[in-house]
Amino acid sequence: GVSNLTASTGFLLLGPVVWAATLPLAAGALVGAAVGPAVVRRLPDTPVRVVIGLAGLVLAVRLALG
């Protein structure tokens, strides 16, 4: 929590913030935090891990390529 607060403060003070995106992002985070664990508990472990790993790789490639 402290590291997220520090990063948020840094972005707020030093980086460009698209304020229109903050409300949907916050709403998605809250809904995901509330619903996600219940959904993941009911799914089989291996496919969930594969999907999460692939999503991470796709994001890393996307960020690396611009």
Side-chain angles (χ1 to χ4, degrees), residues 29-54:
L30 291 173
V31 170
V35 176
V39 171
V40 170
R41 264 189 238 115
R42 290 176 174 80
L43 297 174
D45 292 344
T46 302
V48 171
R49 290 178 182 174
V50 169
V51 168
I52 291 170
L54 288 174

Side-chain angles (χ1 to χ4, degrees), residues 2-41:
V2 173
S3 64
N4 285 336
L5 180 62
T6 304
S8 298
T9 303
F11 279 117
L12 179 68
L13 298 175
L14 304 173
V17 176
V18 180
W19 291 105
T22 58
L23 185 59
L25 185 61
L30 291 173
V31 170
V35 176
V39 171
V40 170
R41 264 189 238 115

